[in-house]
Amino acid sequence: MGNCLDITLHPRTDTTHPVNQILYGAPGTGKTYSTAELAMAIIKREPFKLSASAEERQQILAQYNRCISVGKIVFTTFHQSYGYEEFIQGLRPDTDSSTLSFKTTDGVFKQIADRAMSDGENNYVIIIDEINRGNISKIFGELITLIEEDKRWGEPNQLNVTLPSGEVFAVPNNLYIVGTMNSADKSISLIDTALRRRFSFVEQKPDSSLILDLSLKKLLENLNNQLVKDLNSTDLLIGHSYFINKSIDDLPFIFNSSIIPLLYEYYFDNRKKVLSIINSVLDSDKFKVIDDNVGRLRIEEIRQ
């Protein structure tokens, strides 16, 4: 891309979606699942809504994958060792050189920002899964200011920076950042202040209406009500995705493989508390808790 100083973008007139937003919620609430539909809504400049049917979902995913293939959407995941070099720009060994040398390589964010800057008429989206797991200051560096809505290129207070390579860089106002955040990992009040101030937060709640099996639906509602009462927090709940397209016969597998490990995490491996929560929601006529003292609690169906 040429120097951003040579490119003129116009202020945004479509404010259907914030340029920076984070979908947050408890495990299993469909945050990452929702990003495909949200990204396509941004691309199309339409309101965001989840697919009403499996067929509609497949159509959205086909469009989403086409956008990924042409570079209009990028998906990445933050983790503890993720850095500025992978996200913005860094030095990499030059494998084409006959001697040991390094070359400047653009990261995923700079690549899509450059494409968006050169195509101001269309929207672009970068999805950052698990955004709260990364070291924000380390990853964004000086760009943390440039992503603010009024400082995007094309806006009244547009700013640019000079990267370590000497290249002048700005973040265009047609590049949207969508993050996901598991609230069980870190509550909003504890995440990086710079991130919290620059992003809109959209809560993804457990939605029992998506569960067809009435017994499982009632169990999830009782479980979350008990967790809120016991922990006095909505950050540590159980999402609906564990129960979707499942029946009550699947309950031992759901609990033993997913729910019980989460409860141990929520209660800091306090076995008695986990047992208390399980017993408060379990139908004792159909299932029993197995406590053999040499492993974690598990449940089994009572055979008649």
Side-chain angles (χ1 to χ4, degrees):
M1 186 199 77
N3 192 318
C4 67
L5 299 177
D6 299 327
I7 297 176
T8 299
L9 297 180
H10 301 291
R12 282 197 320 143
T13 56
D14 179 12
T15 57
T16 304
H17 302 279
V19 289
N20 305 317
Q21 62 180 303
I22 291 176
L23 306 180
Y24 75 97
T29 49
K31 300 175 292 296
T32 305
Y33 179 93
S34 302
T35 56
E37 273 119 331
L38 176 55
M40 289 312 303
I42 292 171
I43 294 291
K44 297 177 179 180
R45 294 183 170 90
E46 297 175 349
F48 167 56
K49 68 179 183 67
L50 286 175
S51 302
S53 66
E55 181 180 353
E56 187 178 353
R57 170 75 177 177
Q58 289 306 310
Q59 292 174 350
I60 291 289
L61 287 179
Q63 297 168 0
Y64 172 80
N65 288 326
R66 282 196 294 271
C67 286
I68 286 180
S69 67
V70 299
K72 294 189 73 172
I73 297 174
V74 166
F75 185 99
T76 190
T77 303
F78 279 2
H79 49 78
Q80 287 83 351
S81 60
Y82 200 97
Y84 184 92
E85 294 77 11
E86 293 90 357
F87 197 59
I88 310 298
Q89 193 179 74
L91 293 177
R92 293 285 185 273
D94 188 353
T95 56
D96 296 327
S97 175
S98 58
T99 60
L100 180 61
S101 61
F102 295 85
K103 61 182 179 180
T104 301
T105 304
D106 292 341
V108 293
F109 184 80
K110 184 176 182 302
Q111 291 176 31
I112 192 171
D114 285 350
R115 288 194 295 271
M117 182 73 79
S118 301
D119 183 20
E121 297 302 315
N122 294 298
N123 287 345
Y124 286 68
V125 182
I126 181 167
I127 300 168
I128 305 173
D129 204 27
E130 307 283 4
I131 193 170
N132 58 312
R133 284 185 174 269
N135 183 326
I136 299 303
S137 298
K138 171 187 171 186
I139 295 170
F140 278 89
E142 70 273 31
L143 266 67
I144 195 66
T145 298
L146 270 62
I147 68 171
E148 293 182 29
E149 184 174 356
D150 70 314
K151 297 177 179 64
R152 297 293 193 96
W153 202 251
E155 297 303 320
N157 299 315
Q158 64 183 21
L159 291 178
N160 64 76
V161 297
T162 301
L163 300 178
S165 64
E167 183 177 353
V168 178
F169 178 70
V171 180
N173 59 4
N174 61 329
L175 174 58
Y176 290 72
I177 303 174
V178 173
T180 71
M181 172 184 154
N182 189 335
S183 59
D185 291 334
K186 191 185 293 184
S187 72
I188 290 177
S189 61
L190 296 177
I191 70 170
D192 190 289
T193 304
L195 192 70
R196 191 166 69 246
R197 187 166 63 84
R198 291 172 171 88
F199 280 77
S200 298
F201 285 80
V202 181
E203 185 178 14
Q204 299 284 98
K205 300 178 182 179
D207 186 357
S208 63
S209 68
L210 299 174
I211 303 171
L212 298 180
D213 187 291
L214 296 180
S215 296
L216 288 182
K217 177 180 179 179
K218 186 64 176 177
L219 185 146
L220 178 62
E221 292 172 349
N222 290 340
L223 177 58
N224 280 331
N225 287 336
Q226 188 63 39
L227 288 173
V228 171
K229 178 181 177 181
D230 203 48
L231 298 171
N232 195 30
S233 171
T234 57
D235 286 337
L236 303 177
L237 298 178
I238 305 295
H240 49 268
S241 66
Y242 298 111
F243 299 89
I244 289 179
N245 298 324
K246 298 290 195 305
S247 71
I248 194 66
D249 295 331
D250 299 310
L251 190 62
F253 175 77
I254 297 170
F255 259 70
N256 296 336
S257 64
S258 300
I259 307 304
I260 290 177
L262 276 176
L263 293 177
Y264 269 91
E265 183 178 341
Y266 290 175
Y267 287 99
F268 303 99
D269 290 330
N270 186 322
R271 190 185 192 88
K272 290 183 179 179
K273 292 296 296 184
V274 173
L275 179 60
S276 174
I277 291 294
I278 295 173
N279 283 331
S280 70
V281 299
L282 206 62
D283 185 341
S284 59
D285 292 331
K286 294 182 179 180
F287 302 97
K288 61 182 178 180
V289 179
I290 305 298
D291 183 0
D292 54 18
N293 295 317
V294 293
R296 287 190 166 183
L297 301 169
R298 68 182 190 277
I299 70 170
E300 289 183 0
E301 184 179 359
I302 298 175
R303 303 294 180 182
Q304 302 297 331

